[in-house]
């Protein structure tokens, strides 16, 4: 739902026009004849994106979540959402999600130290991010840290990613909680046709979750699909 | 009844007493944070509820948690980045030595068994078997670790070969600063210098086309005349991969894709 008051609060500078609101603090904006996605943020840029006034451009080629939204699929995420984010990497997507859940909390898990050192800069700046340098396939390790969450976002391009998602949902996702999974066909099996992989992945998820929607991320990311689930 | 079970949580302990959960705050939050990473099971109560009791409010709970998580993460990142490449190189060397030992021992045990089989020879067999098991688990760790510290190079070469490249270069920092032409012939130094000294003397000589990376199936399986081209191309991509690994650490799939395309073209 578009709340006009919220939109008019944002200064329309630099030839930017807000077209519509997608989620809390996330908007489709027009710059010249181009349509862009952006989140409202009081923080500065993180990964070289542009900033128009209070709006930070959200680049779909860099962030799969942005690609999902720009493909026209909208997901309800309340501003006070508690989220477990698996595969934070250097924080490109997390920075925007942190804009969206500005009254919530994000538990961000990443296993690799290199991108994490960049991510830590973001986590230090934002008050709603709790960084965990942990292996997402071992959720018991952070069971004494992460509380029950409303939402699990997963983007970890690993062979076992569906198993890892299920395990984390068992540990942390509350009943009725939602999940958004980015599936990369190539990392599950590089020899099988993506279409076949998607079918088996969807079957595997359907055995324990309700699937709300799924779809490809073309043309932004090749051989990827997103899956939106409910526990 | 009394205390039934104690659960470790980041801010201390929660114990079940007479069917109720009670929380106790630790004196050192950083220590208890690290301690609870040893947990092996799901927590059956609401963390945030127990924590709010301890810290007074949700706001304070998150504030403390964030502070502890960030400082632990900084410490861990530093620790991780500092030692991982050296550790990987040492593991690789260990595997090579274990390989030699296994060969040696197996030969010996075969000779002994031909003469007589006793309790001792059975034990000997067992020891060799265990050594093989150890070898397998070190190899697995090499693969995991290589994918963690140099995801892009490992995506192209696989764990063991990447580790060998790293060993030759000495460190990830050094590997990331090598030109592609050097990466191409890493491991073929002997034949390179032989060729160079011949050229200096004015004799005909051929410089090597490839070093370690010859072991990659994409080069090995090509006809001889096209291996040089492929090695050059792969080395160029590896140089980029090593730099991404050292400076950013995020996986970029386009490198392997380009190599695959080139291979199809040359095949």
């Amino acid at each position: 739902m578009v709340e006009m008051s919220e939109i008019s609060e944002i200064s329309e500078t630099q030839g930017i026009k807000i077209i519509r609101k997608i989620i809390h603090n996330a908007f489709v904006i027009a710059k010249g004849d181009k349509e862009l996605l952006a989140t409202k943020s009081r923080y500065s840029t993180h990964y070289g994106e542009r900033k128009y006034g209070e709006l930070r451009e959200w680049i779909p080629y860099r962030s799969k979540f942005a690609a999902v939204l720009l493909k026209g699929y909208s997901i309800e995420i309340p501003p006070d959402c508690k989220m477990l984010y698996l595969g934070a990497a250097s924080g490109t997507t997390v920075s925007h999600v942190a804009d969206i859940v500005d009254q919530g909390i994000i538990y961000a898990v990443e296993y690799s130290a290199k991108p994490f050192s960049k991510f830590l800069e973001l986590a230090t700046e934002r008050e709603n991010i709790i960084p965990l340098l942990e292996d997402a396939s071992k959720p018991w390790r952070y069971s004494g840290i992460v509380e029950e969450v409303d939402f699990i976002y997963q983007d970890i391009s690993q062979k076992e990613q569906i198993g890892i998602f299920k395990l984390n949902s068992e540990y942390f996702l509350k009943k009725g909680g939602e999940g958004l999974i980015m599936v990369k066909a190539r990392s599950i099996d590089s020899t099988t046709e993506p279409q076949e992989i998607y079918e088996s992945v969807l079957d595997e998820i359907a055995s324990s979750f309700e699937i709300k929607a799924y779809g490809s991320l073309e043309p932004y990311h090749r051989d990827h699909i997103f899956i939106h689930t409910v526990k | 009844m009394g205390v039934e079970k104690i659960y470790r949580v980041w801010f201390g302990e929660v114990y079940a007493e007479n069917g109720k959960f009670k929380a106790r705050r630790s004196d050192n939050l950083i220590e208890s944070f690290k301690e609870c990473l040893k947990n092996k099971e799901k927590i059956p109560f609401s963390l945030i509820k127990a924590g709010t009791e301890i810290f007074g409010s949700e706001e304070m709970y998150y504030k403390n948690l964030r502070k502890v998580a960030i400082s632990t993460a900084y410490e861990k990142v530093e620790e991780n980045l500092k030692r991982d490449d050296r550790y990987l190189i040492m593991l690789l060397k260990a595997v090579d030595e274990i390989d030699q030992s296994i060969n040696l021992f197996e030969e010996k045990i075969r000779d002994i068994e031909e003469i007589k089989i006793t309790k001792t020879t059975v034990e000997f067999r067992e020891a060799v078997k265990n050594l093989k098991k150890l070898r397998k688990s070190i190899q697995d760790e090499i693969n995991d670790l290589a994918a963690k510290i140099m995801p892009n190079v490992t995506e192209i070469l696989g764990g063991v070969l990447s580790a060998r490249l790293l060993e030759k270069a000495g460190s990830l920092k050094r590997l990331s600063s090598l030109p592609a032409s050097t990466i191409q012939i890493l491991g073929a130094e002997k034949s390179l210098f032989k060729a160079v000294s011949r050229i200096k003397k004015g004799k005909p000589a051929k410089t090597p086309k490839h070093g370690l990376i010859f072991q990659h199936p994409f080069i090995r399986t090509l006809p001889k005349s096209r291996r040089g081209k492929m090695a050059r191309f792969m080395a160029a991509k590896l140089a980029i991969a090593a730099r991404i690994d050292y400076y950013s650490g995020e996986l970029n799939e386009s490198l392997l894709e380009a190599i695959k395309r080139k291979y199809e073209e040359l095949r």
Side-chain angles (χ1 to χ4, degrees):
Chain A
M1 211 181 73
V2 182
E3 292 151 39
M4 289 318 287
S5 59
E6 201 171 338
I7 288 179
S8 57
E9 267 174 34
I10 296 162
S11 49
E12 300 201 346
T13 49
Q14 300 171 41
I16 293 290
K17 273 212 165 61
I18 288 175
I19 299 177
R20 61 179 183 277
K21 180 184 166 191
I22 300 183
I23 327 175
H24 176 70
N25 276 350
F27 306 91
V28 173
I29 58 175
K31 185 187 188 294
D33 52 357
K34 269 192 300 185
E35 282 194 7
L36 306 172
L37 192 63
T39 56
K40 187 182 156 195
S41 175
R42 60 193 174 88
Y43 297 96
S44 61
T45 59
H46 178 60
Y47 57 98
E49 75 280 24
R50 281 217 193 95
K51 215 177 165 203
Y52 308 103
E54 277 191 293
L55 294 167
R56 274 171 61 230
E57 181 189 3
W58 193 357
I59 307 169
Y61 292 97
R62 301 285 301 275
S63 166
K64 281 157 212 148
F65 198 174
V68 171
L69 297 176
L70 269 183
K71 291 211 68 175
Y73 185 70
S74 177
I75 292 173
E76 286 277 321
I77 297 180
D80 60 350
C81 183
K82 287 176 179 168
M83 188 185 275
L84 175 60
Y85 191 113
L86 306 172
S90 61
T92 307
T93 305
V94 186
S95 72
H96 292 286
V97 178
D99 288 337
I100 293 169
V101 298
D102 56 357
Q103 293 143 48
I105 202 95
I106 304 170
Y107 295 92
V109 179
E110 169 63 41
Y111 188 39
S112 173
K114 201 85 218 198
F116 205 73
S117 57
K118 171 126 197 255
F119 175 64
L120 273 179
E121 289 169 23
L122 182 81
T124 317
E125 181 183 81
R126 306 295 187 102
E127 275 159 25
N128 54 354
I129 298 176
I130 292 167
L132 296 167
L133 185 59
E134 286 296 328
D135 185 350
S137 64
K138 295 173 184 146
W140 48 88
R141 281 183 54 88
Y142 44 89
S143 66
I145 299 168
V146 177
E147 62 186 301
E148 204 176 54
V149 296
D150 310 309
F151 202 100
I152 296 184
Y153 181 97
Q154 187 202 46
D155 179 8
I156 51 173
S157 55
Q158 259 184 42
K159 207 173 171 204
E160 291 303 319
Q161 74 169 114
I162 302 304
I164 293 172
F165 178 79
K166 279 186 171 178
L167 201 56
N168 277 279
S169 313
E170 250 169 61
Y171 268 80
F172 306 111
L173 192 60
K174 73 172 188 200
K175 189 104 190 73
E178 297 180 22
L180 185 61
I181 314 168
M182 301 299 167
V183 181
K184 181 180 162 197
R186 204 97 29 91
S187 57
I188 289 180
D189 188 340
S190 58
T191 53
T192 319
E193 276 297 306
Q195 215 49 48
E196 281 173 47
I197 297 170
Y198 299 150
E199 274 164 32
S200 76
V201 164
L202 285 167
D203 280 348
E204 204 185 333
I205 291 177
S207 67
S208 34
F209 298 93
E210 179 197 324
I211 294 177
K212 262 197 159 175
Y214 63 91
S216 96
L217 299 183
E218 302 273 358
Y220 305 112
H221 298 269
R222 273 175 54 204
D223 295 336
H224 277 81
I225 56 166
F226 74 90
I227 306 175
H228 183 195
T229 64
V230 182
K231 187 177 177 182
Chain B
M1 291 273 277
V3 175
E4 287 134 31
K5 197 171 163 85
I6 296 177
Y7 296 93
R8 280 181 297 216
V9 295
W10 71 269
F11 52 81
E13 285 171 349
V14 173
Y15 52 96
E17 200 177 46
N18 303 328
K20 275 186 184 166
F21 291 112
K22 287 187 177 165
R24 190 161 46 208
R25 185 185 164 143
S26 85
D27 303 330
N28 186 335
L29 289 177
I30 292 191
E31 233 163 62
S32 53
F33 186 94
K34 285 180 188 163
E35 195 58 30
C36 87
L37 291 173
K38 292 178 192 154
N39 275 356
K40 290 202 167 60
E41 54 184 2
K42 209 178 148 173
I43 298 286
F45 50 86
S46 161
L47 258 181
I48 179 82
K49 239 189 193 165
T52 316
E53 256 174 55
I54 294 278
F55 293 104
S57 68
E58 256 187 51
E59 204 193 330
M60 284 309 288
Y61 174 85
Y62 287 126
K63 212 173 165 185
N64 276 290
L65 172 55
R66 237 186 105 240
K67 211 167 104 190
V68 179
I70 288 174
S71 80
T72 312
Y74 266 114
E75 202 178 298
K76 243 180 167 175
V77 162
E78 208 157 286
E79 190 72 9
N80 251 316
L81 295 181
K82 204 163 51 188
R83 300 224 184 95
D84 269 357
D85 55 348
R86 285 193 55 206
Y87 178 61
L88 182 59
I89 292 171
M90 294 310 280
L91 283 183
L92 187 72
K93 284 182 180 160
V95 162
D96 289 342
E97 277 161 25
I98 291 173
D99 268 344
Q100 280 177 8
S101 311
I102 290 176
N103 282 337
L104 216 68
F105 286 151
E106 275 196 326
E107 209 175 302
K108 206 80 295 155
I109 184 74
R110 230 177 290 130
D111 290 349
I112 300 174
E113 277 175 346
E114 262 173 33
I115 305 166
K116 200 176 176 187
I117 293 179
T118 60
K119 208 175 141 219
T120 315
T121 62
V122 173
E123 240 173 71
F124 200 149
R125 271 272 169 230
E126 197 61 31
V128 174
K129 220 171 116 191
N130 282 335
L131 209 52
K132 279 185 178 165
K133 234 189 260 166
L134 175 67
R135 186 197 182 283
K136 172 85 177 56
S137 60
I138 298 181
Q139 181 120 39
D140 287 347
E141 178 151 20
I142 288 179
N143 282 325
D144 284 356
L145 197 59
K148 199 174 126 195
I149 64 171
M150 34 180 194
N152 288 292
V153 175
T154 308
E155 170 106 339
I156 298 171
L157 291 181
V160 175
L161 198 49
S162 308
R164 288 206 189 286
L165 208 60
L166 183 69
E167 186 200 359
K168 274 282 164 213
S171 70
L172 189 55
K173 186 175 179 194
R174 172 118 202 284
L175 184 62
S176 71
S177 66
L178 290 180
S181 55
T182 307
I183 292 178
Q184 189 186 339
I185 51 98
L186 267 186
E189 289 83 1
K190 203 171 159 192
S191 67
L192 175 71
F193 292 127
K194 204 165 151 192
V196 170
S197 70
R198 278 181 71 92
I199 290 168
K200 270 188 190 155
K201 287 176 199 155
K203 291 177 188 166
K206 276 184 184 167
T207 50
K209 292 190 281 293
H210 35 55
L212 270 175
I213 59 170
F214 173 67
Q215 290 171 29
H216 194 285
F218 281 3
I219 295 179
R220 209 174 45 204
T221 58
L222 280 178
K224 241 183 176 173
S225 60
R226 274 166 266 166
R227 281 179 196 166
K229 195 174 260 176
M230 188 70 216
R232 211 162 55 231
F233 189 83
M234 192 181 281
K237 295 296 170 198
L238 281 171
I240 299 171
R243 280 159 219 190
I244 301 175
D245 286 343
Y246 183 69
Y247 290 103
S248 119
E250 274 182 87
L251 189 62
N252 182 336
E253 293 97 13
S254 66
L255 294 171
L256 183 60
E257 269 166 38
I259 289 174
K260 277 184 183 159
R261 267 201 306 276
K262 188 78 179 178
Y263 177 67
E264 292 300 326
E265 208 178 277
L266 289 173
R267 200 164 61 162

